[in-house]
Amino acid sequence: MSLDRPSPTECVAVGLRSSFGEMPREDRNKCEWDFAGGRRSSRNVFLASGGHYVKFHPSGSTGTVAVAGNVPLVNGVHCWSIKMGPTIFGTDVMVGVCTNQFDFDEYLQQYCSMLGEDEKSWGISYHGYIHDKGSRRYEDPLQFRAGSEIVLLLDLCKSQLSVSVDGCPFRTAVENLWENGRCPEPLYPVVA
């Protein structure tokens, strides 16, 4: 198996899949996790198809929301796919990872790039920006749009998050996710 472009269901340690947008019924049974509600979700997030379909602001928007996966990512390498739906819009649409300490309701009354504002989350924006500990940098090949498939590769041994958009080669988005080289707590896939 090649590590240059692992498929969402084949990875070194764990294969994970989920969807932001409609997932075909036959693919739902292949998922090892789904998006969670409750504590790992902002208000104003609609979940369907057993947590495999996410819709933000179903009845109007006043700020920024997010939802995370229901299974913590610990030890080893994790790979998952996010499929954007037919329409995406807003101040920002982001994918990434977050800690258990991430505040999903902090920006309910504010439009912003929610992920990567501090050490509690890291994100990739559909505008092509990587957000990490309050800073951002532009990476042109990382832009995504409606219908895009984003594959994220989280290597907890190397403390890095890599991303592939629409089948392009993986690029390291964030290195040194944490200071001491060891993840202090589980991480969760997140979409904002």
Side-chain angles (χ1 to χ4, degrees):
M1 171 176 59
S2 168
L3 289 180
D4 294 332
R5 175 84 174 106
S7 74
T9 55
E10 295 178 328
C11 201
V12 175
V14 180
L16 303 171
R17 291 191 55 179
S18 197
S19 177
F20 184 75
E22 195 60 55
M23 175 180 270
R25 182 173 302 281
E26 61 273 10
D27 286 348
R28 291 182 197 146
N29 294 332
K30 298 176 187 174
C31 296
E32 295 179 19
W33 59 272
D34 54 41
F35 288 106
R39 196 166 90 46
R40 283 201 250 309
S41 174
S42 304
R43 290 172 268 154
N44 215 7
V45 173
F46 173 76
L47 298 173
S49 300
H52 300 293
Y53 176 80
V54 177
K55 184 174 183 177
F56 291 146
H57 311 294
S59 58
S61 171
T62 59
T64 306
V65 296
V67 63
N70 66 345
V71 174
L73 307 177
V74 295
N75 302 323
V77 179
H78 304 271
C79 186
W80 67 98
S81 169
I82 307 286
K83 175 77 173 169
M84 290 293 148
T87 56
I88 60 172
F89 59 90
T91 302
D92 213 344
V93 177
M94 303 182 80
V95 297
V97 293
C98 68
T99 69
N100 224 8
Q101 306 304 312
F102 183 72
D103 184 353
F104 289 91
D105 292 328
E106 183 175 355
Y107 298 106
L108 285 175
Q109 300 299 315
Q110 178 183 350
Y111 296 105
C112 66
S113 299
M114 184 179 201
L115 303 179
E117 289 294 308
D118 55 28
E119 70 286 343
K120 297 172 188 163
S121 66
W122 298 265
I124 296 103
S125 161
Y126 79 141
H127 297 297
Y129 288 96
I130 296 168
H131 295 254
D132 176 22
K133 297 179 186 114
S135 66
R136 70 180 194 166
R137 73 179 190 284
Y138 182 72
E139 294 281 340
D140 183 53
L142 296 185
Q143 289 180 324
F144 56 91
R145 59 191 169 284
S148 286
E149 181 179 12
I150 302 99
V151 180
L152 292 105
L153 180 66
L154 176 65
D155 188 331
L156 294 171
C157 300
K158 293 182 180 177
S159 182
Q160 70 184 29
L161 178 65
S162 300
V163 65
S164 168
V165 176
D166 293 329
C168 291
F170 272 90
R171 296 186 60 134
T172 300
V174 181
E175 294 183 288
N176 302 315
L177 286 164
W178 41 88
E179 300 298 321
N180 61 6
R182 188 170 177 181
C183 186
E185 61 182 296
L187 298 176
Y188 297 84
V190 64
V191 177

